[in-house]
């Protein structure tokens, strides 16, 4: 039995993530593993008010309450789902990286509290995206703390990199499971083209670039399409920045899928402005998929 792992920290965002994960796990008959992690601070609190033991007991009790709330949210979202809860005193980043080694997917809320505070804007998110051993889904909604959408297509960013190859495979599987279309998006930046045309007006034909890029997009789709003949595919080729294009597509999507490392339009996706734009502004869940570990990706 495969497992979906969801991070629990007591935030509204994490509760939405748990409910989303439960809805994913139930129809696949997967186990939902709810994980809460906490660290006992060594400094920063008045020792005359509490002891380390009392603080540890309080944090553990708080974690148990949060897991209880998360279980209730999971069972409400997907009655009958197989739920397992885990509470550990450990670093959240180390904990979730370890969980990713045996999970099919790790699911996180877009805003954290407690052990997962700052998860999507700091080192923990980068570590999970860059070194996690399974896809990571950041659950977002249409507004601040909003419930994630359950209608619309699955959108995948395509750029020809090894990461986007596995992203396409993951996106096809998700679209098939949801019985929705797949929108495959490829972008190319026309800013450099405009400068080149000004300098060498007869050397570049934008229509030729469009045709070449569209052929590359279709080729990557075709490499997987036969495995999912019932999934309708809408290829989208756009000129511009990938973050803006994907954010626009998010307005109608229920899930966006991107590779962890890209080239061309999606270069540096998880380490620069594109990834931060997606996880902080996308109006639907964002799945980040890494290729299998190789010497190149270590």
């Amino acid at each position: 039995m495969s497992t979906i792992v969801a991070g629990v920290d007591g935030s509204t965002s994490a509760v939405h993530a748990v409910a989303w994960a439960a809805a994913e796990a139930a129809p696949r008959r997967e186990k939902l593993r709810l994980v809460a992690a906490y660290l006992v601070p060594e400094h920063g609190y008045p020792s005359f008010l509490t002891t380390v033991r009392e603080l540890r007991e309080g944090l553990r009790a708080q974690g148990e309450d949060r897991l209880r709330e998360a279980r209730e949210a999971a069972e409400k979202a997907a009655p009958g789902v197989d739920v397992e809860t885990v509470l550990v005193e450990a670093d959240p980043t180390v904990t979730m990286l370890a969980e990713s080694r045996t999970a099919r997917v790790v699911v996180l809320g877009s805003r954290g509290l407690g052990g997962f505070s700052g998860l999507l804007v700091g080192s923990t998110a980068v570590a999970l995206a860059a070194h996690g051993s399974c896809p990571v889904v950041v659950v977002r909604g249409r507004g601040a703390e909003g419930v994630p959408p359950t209608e619309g297509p699955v959108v995948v960013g395509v750029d020809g990199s090894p990461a986007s190859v596995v992203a396409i495979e993951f996106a096809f599987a998700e679209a098939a499971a949801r019985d929705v279309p797949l929108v495959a998006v490829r972008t190319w930046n026309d800013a450099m083209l405009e400068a080149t045309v000004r300098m060498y007006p007869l050397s570049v034909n934008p229509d030729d670039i469009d045709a070449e890029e569209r052929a590359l997009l279709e080729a990557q789709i075709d490499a997987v399409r036969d495995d999912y003949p019932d999934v309708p595919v809408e290829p989208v080729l756009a000129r511009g920045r990938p973050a803006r294009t994907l954010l626009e597509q998010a307005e109608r999507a229920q899930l966006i899928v991107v590779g962890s490392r890209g080239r061309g339009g999606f270069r540096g996706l998880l380490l620069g402005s594109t990834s931060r734009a997606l996880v902080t502004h996308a109006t639907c869940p964002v799945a980040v998929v890494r290729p299998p570990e190789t010497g190149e990706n270590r």
Side-chain angles (χ1 to χ4, degrees):
M1 176 187 295
S2 59
T3 301
I4 295 181
V5 173
V8 174
D9 66 5
S11 67
T12 300
S13 178
V15 173
H16 289 330
V18 165
W20 188 92
E24 288 287 296
R28 294 175 167 92
R29 296 185 178 179
E30 294 177 310
K31 177 179 290 185
L32 175 60
R33 183 174 166 92
L34 306 179
V35 179
Y38 66 95
L39 281 176
V40 179
E42 297 180 1
H43 308 287
Y45 60 92
S47 58
F48 62 86
L49 290 180
T50 186
T51 65
V52 173
R53 179 179 178 180
E54 291 171 338
L55 185 59
R56 175 175 282 109
E57 291 175 350
L59 289 172
R60 185 163 190 84
Q62 182 182 63
E64 290 171 350
D65 288 342
R66 289 172 173 176
L67 283 172
R68 195 159 34 247
E69 177 189 21
R71 177 188 282 274
E72 291 173 357
E75 292 174 344
K76 179 178 180 181
V81 66
D82 184 2
V83 181
E84 175 185 18
T85 60
V86 179
L87 179 63
V88 295
E89 181 180 334
D91 179 87
T93 301
V94 174
T95 299
M96 299 308 287
L97 284 172
E99 290 289 336
S100 76
R101 297 188 189 107
T102 55
R104 181 180 71 83
V105 176
V106 169
V107 181
L108 307 167
S110 60
R111 299 183 181 185
L113 295 174
F116 294 94
S117 180
L119 186 61
L120 296 178
V121 294
S123 60
T124 303
V126 173
L128 283 171
H131 303 293
S133 302
C134 73
V136 175
V137 177
V138 177
V139 175
R140 297 188 54 81
R142 297 299 191 209
E145 305 292 354
V147 176
T150 57
E151 297 183 351
V154 172
V155 174
V156 61
V158 177
D159 70 357
S161 69
S164 82
V165 171
V166 294
I168 293 169
E169 294 170 349
F170 182 87
F172 260 107
E174 292 299 312
R178 291 167 167 76
D179 194 23
V180 298
L182 175 66
V183 178
V185 180
R186 184 180 177 98
T187 69
W188 62 276
N189 196 332
D190 57 358
M192 293 184 66
L193 171 65
E194 292 176 359
T196 303
V197 169
R198 286 196 297 269
M199 296 176 64
Y200 309 101
L202 301 180
S203 64
V204 180
N205 185 338
D207 291 337
D208 290 341
I209 297 178
D210 267 334
E212 180 180 352
E213 293 290 326
R214 187 170 296 280
L216 292 171
L217 172 59
E218 292 283 358
Q220 278 207 279
I221 295 171
D222 289 343
V224 184
R225 194 200 302 259
D226 288 347
D227 294 331
Y228 299 93
D230 297 328
V231 176
V233 181
E234 177 188 347
V236 174
L237 180 66
R239 302 183 193 179
R241 298 184 179 277
R244 178 176 298 178
T245 302
L246 289 173
L247 287 172
E248 290 173 353
Q249 292 293 332
E251 295 294 332
R252 61 169 176 146
Q254 61 175 284
L255 177 68
I256 286 185
V257 184
V258 290
S260 62
R261 294 184 183 182
R263 63 170 178 255
F266 291 92
R267 181 178 296 278
L269 184 62
L270 290 176
L271 301 176
S273 60
T274 301
S275 60
R276 295 188 183 278
L278 288 170
V279 298
T280 57
H281 299 297
T283 51
C284 71
V286 178
V288 179
V289 185
R290 295 183 69 239
E293 192 71 21
T294 65
E296 178 184 354
N297 292 326
R298 285 174 185 167

